[in-house]
Amino acid sequence: MSVATVGVVGAGLMGSGIAQVCATADMKVVIHDINDAAIQKGVVSINSSLSRLVAKGKLTEVEKDSILTRIAGSVETAALKDVDFLIEAVSEDFTIKSEIIRSLEAVVSSNCIIASNTSSISITRLARSLKNPSRFVGMHFFNPVPLMSLVEVVRGFQTDRMSFEKTQELAQRLGKVAIAVNNAPGFVVNRILCPMINEAIFVLQEGLASREAIDEGMKLGANHPIGPLALADLVGLDTFLSVMNVFHEEFNEPKYRPARLLKEMVDAGHLGRKTGRGFYQYAS
């Protein structure tokens, strides 16, 4: 199966980034979301991202315009009926994801591979709601999608060999490095990374060091390109809390409990860069 058209469900930060890299790789893209405002916001985000590449000399205006012509948006699920590959990129919530995946299975063709961009939720559990779970696979992109080179291709218990290999091929076509991962909470990268960030929040909560000292310490002492608290702001504290809640529930071990400070900040609506305030404040 050659992928000519990709459907992306969710026009947010991750969805728009996935749509951009697919269109840049000469595929047609259909973005689906619940309303036109969300779709237009996603398209504006893609346009801004491409404009930055033009400004840096990495893309021409003609190339940018060509990429944008390959992207269409629709609030109608029927617009996805002819896509060759469907990528779900909605909120990190099992109920929301499973309902969307189940409803869209009836829309797309029987040959269409269905993937989830989940960063922590079980691919095996999500696949359980499908009539044909063998074509369901995890395709975990990293933020920001156009710049990050890694994709975790996650094999669920029911995922068949062809769907898994075709997903790896698609990731490579997008210019990404695909690593093969078996299903487990958080997969590989977040299984290692998220508890570290959570521990950094505990350190701040306990008053052992300032936010600046924590981030500077990890940048200079561990050679990380960005500090853990700044990274949490970039990811979104609500998304990060969802991941830690999955870890705590699935592993049932106290070492995965989310820091109280993290919960308080999410309750206060301080979600990081997307709200202008998290561990740091950001200009609008």
Side-chain angles (χ1 to χ4, degrees):
M1 181 194 75
S2 176
V3 177
T5 306
V6 176
V8 178
V9 183
L13 187 64
M14 297 300 293
S16 61
I18 294 168
Q20 178 181 324
V21 296
C22 290
T24 301
D26 292 326
M27 285 172 271
K28 293 182 179 179
V29 180
V30 179
I31 303 175
H32 170 69
D33 213 314
I34 56 174
N35 57 58
D36 287 321
I39 293 171
Q40 288 306 311
K41 185 177 179 180
V43 172
V44 168
S45 176
I46 294 169
N47 185 68
S48 297
S49 177
L50 293 173
S51 294
R52 288 193 292 272
L53 294 176
V54 172
K56 293 177 180 178
K58 296 182 178 180
L59 203 66
T60 67
E61 283 286 353
V62 173
E63 289 170 330
K64 171 191 166 185
D65 292 341
S66 179
I67 291 167
L68 289 172
T69 62
R70 290 193 284 273
I71 300 173
S74 178
V75 296
E76 302 295 333
T77 58
L80 299 168
K81 67 183 180 64
D82 294 324
V83 303
D84 304 307
F85 200 104
L86 184 70
I87 304 174
E88 168 273 311
V90 301
S91 303
E92 193 70 359
D93 181 282
F94 172 80
T95 301
I96 294 173
K97 285 182 180 292
S98 61
E99 288 178 355
I100 288 173
I101 291 165
R102 184 174 62 252
S103 67
L104 292 178
E105 183 186 29
V107 175
V108 299
S109 75
S110 59
N111 295 321
C112 178
I113 295 171
I114 303 174
S116 175
N117 180 54
T118 179
S119 57
S120 64
I121 297 172
S122 170
I123 296 302
T124 299
R125 187 179 173 207
L126 284 170
R128 192 171 61 193
S129 66
L130 300 180
K131 292 181 179 179
N132 179 13
S134 66
R135 61 167 164 167
F136 186 69
V137 63
M139 196 175 191
H140 179 212
F141 291 84
F142 290 79
N143 182 39
V145 176
L147 300 181
M148 299 294 282
S149 60
L150 181 67
V151 172
E152 290 180 318
V153 180
V154 186
R155 183 190 291 106
F157 185 80
Q158 312 96 316
T159 307
D160 65 27
R161 180 176 177 180
M162 186 198 75
S163 299
F164 188 76
E165 291 179 349
K166 290 295 183 182
T167 304
Q168 288 181 305
E169 291 173 9
L170 177 60
Q172 291 162 2
R173 185 175 167 189
L174 299 178
K176 305 299 184 184
V177 175
I179 62 171
V181 179
N182 290 323
N183 185 62
F187 316 127
V188 171
V189 174
N190 281 342
R191 170 78 176 271
I192 299 167
L193 177 65
C194 290
M196 184 205 73
I197 295 174
N198 194 50
E199 196 63 28
I201 299 172
F202 271 117
V203 169
L204 180 65
Q205 176 182 302
E206 294 166 14
L208 300 182
S210 68
R211 62 188 182 185
E212 293 84 3
I214 293 166
D215 278 356
E216 199 71 4
M218 292 304 294
K219 286 164 62 179
L220 299 181
N223 204 28
H224 290 189
I226 184 173
L229 301 177
L231 180 56
D233 278 353
L234 179 63
V235 170
L237 301 191
D238 53 341
T239 299
F240 178 65
L241 177 58
S242 294
V243 172
M244 291 309 302
N245 282 334
V246 168
F247 283 9
H248 196 209
E249 178 183 348
E250 293 290 332
F251 289 114
N252 195 28
E253 295 183 20
K255 69 178 182 178
Y256 293 114
R257 71 194 188 284
R260 179 178 51 79
L261 176 59
L262 173 62
K263 295 179 179 180
E264 285 287 294
M265 293 180 70
V266 171
D267 285 345
H270 299 169
L271 308 182
R273 286 181 177 270
K274 60 186 173 184
T275 59
R277 183 174 180 182
F279 292 106
Y280 298 89
Q281 292 198 31
Y282 303 91
S284 58

